[in-house]
Amino acid sequence: MSTSAKTFPIWAFFSLLTNGILMLAVILLIWQRQRLTAFSNNTASLAQISQSQAVAPELGPRHKLSYQQWVDILQQEAKVAAQSHPQHLSILAGDSLSLWFPTELLPEDRNWLNQAISGEISDGLLKRLGLFDSTQPEVIFVMIGINDLIRGISDEVILDNQRQIMNYLRRMHPKTQIVIQSILPHGGEEATWEGREKLQAISNSRIRQLNQQLQGIAARRGVKYLDLYPLFANQQGNLRREFTTDGLHLSPAGYIVWRTVLQMYNNRELSPKTN
């Protein structure tokens, strides 16, 4: 796989969509198309699921684990993946946004290893990247940073940690595509998450600026950058109401959009190499 610097251009055509209504129309088209394919056998529609789901998904007993217990489980899961060598392995690394990605919505033409932890920050992720050193993924998708902002960590520290994450992954997985995903916006005044005051203290314009710097770092380090922010932001720059459960976490509709991006990425960047 190529190791040259590259910003994934999948959303280049969105630069032409200066009208917010056109942007929303395209997003809803993606949403509707994926709903029909992903939930064709379900009795409840995606819209009904979105309307009825007011809280983040239930994680069961794992949600009650300590951080170290969680790390131990992820280590065991990574060990299994390293021993079994599944074909077309993709890894999700990050926080609760990645952790709660519904398994049934992940692109089905790949094997997935979820290495995310709820509440994770960039420094925490950096320190546990070694858990999956022995795996042989084709691609690693990283999304991290929103919890750093919530905790008051400076942009400089966040970017430095992101830089170290990229360096580590490039060194330990030289044949793997490393994909850094943008930090998503939050819901602003409409957020109902229990820490909404902390969210509202973070301007979405700051997140946009942070993403711009993140994109530059990725390009300089030969890492791909996936800009999800425009698809999730409304005209005010806040997380779209239909794509979130509480202004921070994603609704099923939000994951449908994210899944679409991952599927398009797979089709463009990975399929020719796996035939």
Side-chain angles (χ1 to χ4, degrees):
M1 297 181 186
S2 173
T3 58
S4 59
K6 182 177 181 182
T7 298
F8 185 50
I10 191 171
W11 302 119
F13 66 94
F14 277 111
S15 63
L16 302 176
L17 300 180
T18 55
N19 188 306
I21 296 177
L22 285 177
M23 172 75 83
L24 179 58
V26 172
I27 293 173
L28 292 179
L29 179 61
I30 294 172
W31 176 12
Q32 177 67 17
R33 182 174 181 178
Q34 290 297 322
R35 180 179 70 178
L36 292 175
T37 57
F39 291 100
S40 60
N41 296 325
N42 287 0
T43 56
S45 70
L46 177 60
Q48 291 171 331
I49 295 173
S50 300
Q51 292 170 0
S52 63
Q53 184 170 350
V55 296
E58 289 291 336
L59 294 182
R62 177 175 289 203
H63 189 49
K64 300 177 181 179
L65 298 176
S66 68
Y67 184 84
Q68 187 54 52
Q69 289 173 324
W70 219 325
V71 169
D72 292 341
I73 287 179
L74 295 186
Q75 184 175 32
Q76 290 300 315
E77 293 175 350
K79 182 178 179 179
V80 171
Q83 293 173 340
S84 59
H85 300 293
Q87 290 187 332
H88 311 319
L89 178 64
S90 293
I91 293 178
L92 292 176
D95 52 34
S96 61
L97 295 176
S98 296
L99 172 67
W100 289 339
F101 207 123
T103 303
E104 67 272 14
L105 290 186
L106 289 167
E108 61 277 355
D109 54 345
R110 313 199 59 77
N111 285 296
W112 292 89
L113 176 64
N114 196 323
Q115 290 280 288
I117 293 180
S118 182
E120 185 65 285
I121 59 175
S122 58
D123 181 65
L125 177 59
L126 174 62
K127 291 178 178 177
R128 62 181 179 84
L129 291 175
L131 295 181
F132 52 87
D133 277 354
S134 297
T135 62
Q136 298 177 5
E138 288 187 350
V139 59
I140 300 173
F141 293 100
V142 177
M143 180 186 286
I144 199 72
I146 188 62
N147 288 314
D148 294 69
L149 294 170
I150 291 171
R151 296 191 187 189
I153 298 173
S154 69
D155 293 3
E156 291 74 19
V157 171
I158 296 171
L159 292 172
D160 184 60
N161 287 337
Q162 292 264 23
R163 188 180 296 108
Q164 292 186 64
I165 289 171
M166 296 181 209
N167 290 343
Y168 184 92
L169 292 177
R170 296 291 290 133
R171 183 173 70 255
M172 299 305 299
H173 303 274
K175 297 182 179 180
T176 298
Q177 291 190 17
I178 312 301
V179 182
I180 301 297
Q181 300 168 105
S182 59
I183 301 172
L184 298 183
H186 60 75
E189 293 295 326
E190 294 185 351
T192 58
W193 179 60
E194 58 185 0
R196 65 190 302 268
E197 294 80 9
K198 295 180 180 180
L199 274 184
Q200 292 168 359
I202 307 163
S203 68
N204 278 314
S205 61
R206 178 186 174 189
I207 294 179
R208 287 198 304 271
Q209 294 171 3
L210 191 60
N211 283 334
Q212 290 175 357
Q213 296 178 76
L214 190 58
Q215 180 176 355
I217 294 172
R220 290 190 292 274
R221 279 167 172 65
V223 170
K224 298 177 186 294
Y225 177 78
L226 198 56
D227 191 10
L228 299 171
Y229 188 102
L231 292 181
F232 284 85
N234 60 20
Q235 290 183 330
Q236 291 72 43
N238 297 331
L239 182 56
R240 290 181 179 275
R241 183 184 305 171
E242 61 269 33
F243 294 158
T244 182
T245 59
D246 57 8
L248 174 62
H249 300 98
L250 298 181
S251 66
Y255 281 111
I256 286 286
V257 173
W258 193 354
R259 171 222 163 86
T260 303
V261 180
L262 296 184
Q263 187 66 65
M264 293 177 71
Y265 180 89
N266 288 343
N267 293 344
R268 182 186 179 100
E269 299 293 321
L270 298 175
S271 294
K273 302 178 178 63
T274 58
N275 288 338

